[in-house]
Every structure is written in structure tokens, then in C-alpha cells.
Amino acid sequence: MRGQASPGAPSAGDGEPVGLLDKASAILEILAQREWVSAAELAETLQEPRSTIHRLLRNLAALGWVESGTRGQWGIGLHLFRLGSGAVRRMDVRRAALPHMQHLHDESGETVFLCIRRGLDAVCVERLDGRRVQSLALQLGGSMPLHLGAGPMAILAFSPEDVYREWLLDFAENGAKDGGTAAEINEEVKVTRQRGYAVSDQNVTPGIAAVGAPVFNFRNELEGALSVSGLRDVILDPANRLAELTVEAAERASRDLGWARPATWWGKPLPSDTHR
């Protein structure tokens, strides 16, 4: 790996040559395979000067990506572990949900989404396009505020108390371009919690409705939400049982993640109801 970047080599955002990022990546690859490694071993393996390795390790440690142990050993840092754990969780919920999304898609013929929370937004991590209507509002990798759409609303309604309080504070400070007043959204959160699923009736796209249900893991923690979207008359027609089918799909995905529904789950008021 020894060698200098050419004068015309591309640079990272802070001006460092991309070659340094390659070296940092190589260090992390080694630490991922071996629990603890000394700087001397890294220098020998990568054929780099120890001074270069020490400098890279110090920079990575400042970011929380590596940490020093005893006798000059280095290992993966807690921050990088958290990032990796988050990626694994997203992969796990997608893997658990996808077969049930496919079944819901086959049964309904409508667009099916899997969303997870990122901050105060819901991000689409999987999408199966409908045969009749292909929603343009939420593409794969796209995001929406938690109060807009059935999947995001299901996430907002079943999120922990601190997340809901953060959303309330943000809404009070910044308001919202769409989706109603804080009182209206608060009432919709209560209704969603009571019936176990969210309904979006044209609050994203005219003529389009959706229903969404939460997905949980073995710790009874919210992982995300499944939703199905299509023409309003189709989605909201009770004869099509789309709310029931969506809840069933979400519950099956949750069970595959080890969730066991508490006996008093549906109809339970939000913990913050007494504070509003």
C-alpha cells in the first residue's frame, strides 16, 4: 500500500488524498477481523511507516472509530460499532419484512412500503410497486416527515415517548407545510395507537390513500412500519380488508424479529396523553 497520491489525485472533503482514506479503510478491515492489533502489526501488515499508522489511528480514535486498549493494542471503536449495528438492524428488519411485503403485494396489487425512522423522518428502505398505481410520493431511499403518510404516522404513533416529545417540540418551533395542525395530528396519533394502524386519506397525494402498521423487535422496540398505498376508493373500501392485511403482515414481520405482542397492546393510550 506504500505510495503517494499523484498531484491530480482526487481528494476527500477535508483536502486529504483519497489514498489516506484507503489506508484508514484497510486498518478498519483488519480490526474487524481481529479483536485487538498493535500499531506495529498494522504497519507491518500494510507495509506503511509506523508514523503513518499512528497518525491514522489517532485521527480514527478522535472520530470514535477505533479505541486503544492495553499494551498498545487497538480495536474497533464504540461509535463505529453503533453505526454498524444500525446497518445490521436495517438489514434485519428488511429481511424479516420482505416475504410478508411480497404476500401483501400479491394479495392487494397495490404499492407496499417498508419505512424506518431516521430522526424525525421516515425513510423508505423497501418498496414493491403496485400493478394499478405506482405512487411517486415516496421513492426507495426517499423520506417523509413522520406526520405525513400512513407508514410515517404509524412510526410516530408507536415511537417511544422521547421521540414523540421531540417531534412535538420541532412542530411547535417549525410548524409544517402540510398535514394539519398540531392538535389534529395529535388526535390522529391517539386514534392510530388505539386501533393499531394508521390511515392516510389524501394527505400526501390527492386521490391516494394508504394504511400502515408498526413492526417491532424482540425487545418490543419499534423497528419501522409496513404500509400499502393506492387509489382511495380501493384502499379505504372495507371489503378489500387492506387494513387487516397490512396489520397481519406487520405482525408476521414482527414475530420473525422475535416480538411477542403484549396482551394489553392495542388500545393502550400514549404515555404522554396525561401531559397533553
Side-chain angles (χ1 to χ4, degrees):
M1 289 189 61
R2 188 184 298 276
Q4 300 295 322
S6 64
S11 297
D14 60 359
E16 292 289 344
V18 170
L20 287 181
L21 297 180
D22 290 337
K23 296 170 186 177
S25 177
I27 289 175
L28 295 175
E29 289 282 354
I30 293 172
L31 296 182
Q33 297 172 20
R34 300 164 60 183
E35 188 172 359
W36 294 99
V37 184
S38 69
E41 290 175 298
L42 289 169
E44 181 179 354
T45 301
L46 301 177
Q47 297 184 358
E48 290 289 342
R50 290 192 185 185
S51 59
T52 299
I53 298 299
H54 278 292
R55 184 173 69 254
L56 286 169
L57 287 170
R58 286 195 299 270
N59 290 336
L60 291 171
L63 295 170
W65 290 11
V66 302
E67 61 183 22
S68 59
T70 58
R71 299 187 302 276
Q73 302 278 300
W74 292 84
I76 291 293
L78 183 59
H79 181 62
L80 193 61
F81 176 78
R82 289 194 184 112
L83 292 176
S85 297
V88 169
R89 287 182 64 183
R90 287 194 294 274
M91 291 174 62
D92 284 346
V93 68
R94 180 186 175 278
R95 187 179 300 115
L98 191 54
H100 309 297
M101 291 178 66
Q102 187 65 60
H103 180 73
L104 179 59
H105 180 265
D106 293 342
E107 289 283 313
S108 68
E110 307 297 340
T111 303
V112 180
F113 301 91
L114 171 63
C115 291
I116 62 171
R117 185 177 68 84
R118 184 176 64 192
L120 298 180
D121 290 331
V123 179
C124 176
V125 295
E126 187 55 83
R127 168 187 167 127
L128 302 176
D129 286 335
R131 293 191 290 269
R132 287 184 284 268
V133 178
Q134 296 185 15
S135 173
L136 301 177
L138 185 58
Q139 299 295 327
L140 188 63
S143 64
M144 296 184 68
L146 289 180
H147 63 281
L148 284 180
M153 174 55 72
I155 292 175
L156 179 62
F158 289 93
S159 285
E161 170 70 2
D162 59 337
V163 173
Y164 192 79
R165 286 188 178 279
E166 183 183 358
W167 177 84
L168 284 173
L169 179 62
D170 181 79
F171 194 95
E173 292 179 348
N174 302 313
K177 297 179 181 178
D178 303 291
T181 66
E184 291 170 338
I185 296 169
N186 182 61
E187 181 61 29
E188 185 61 29
V189 165
K190 290 182 181 179
V191 172
T192 297
R193 174 75 107 166
Q194 289 165 359
R195 68 187 169 202
Y197 62 90
V199 175
S200 169
D201 187 358
Q202 305 184 91
N203 76 337
V204 177
T205 304
I208 299 297
V211 292
V215 176
F216 301 94
N217 63 23
F218 67 98
R219 296 189 185 93
N220 288 331
E221 298 169 336
L222 183 74
E223 287 284 352
L226 289 183
S227 62
V228 58
S229 171
L231 293 174
R232 181 181 186 275
D233 291 345
V234 175
I235 297 297
L236 300 184
D237 185 348
N240 293 326
R241 300 177 51 247
L242 289 178
E244 180 182 346
L245 292 173
T246 302
V247 170
E248 288 176 356
E251 287 195 347
R252 290 192 184 103
S254 299
R255 286 197 293 270
D256 285 350
L257 290 169
W259 180 68
R261 184 175 70 180
T264 59
W265 184 254
W266 304 127
K268 183 176 67 175
L270 285 169
S272 56
D273 282 348
T274 56
H275 302 293
R276 290 185 245 134

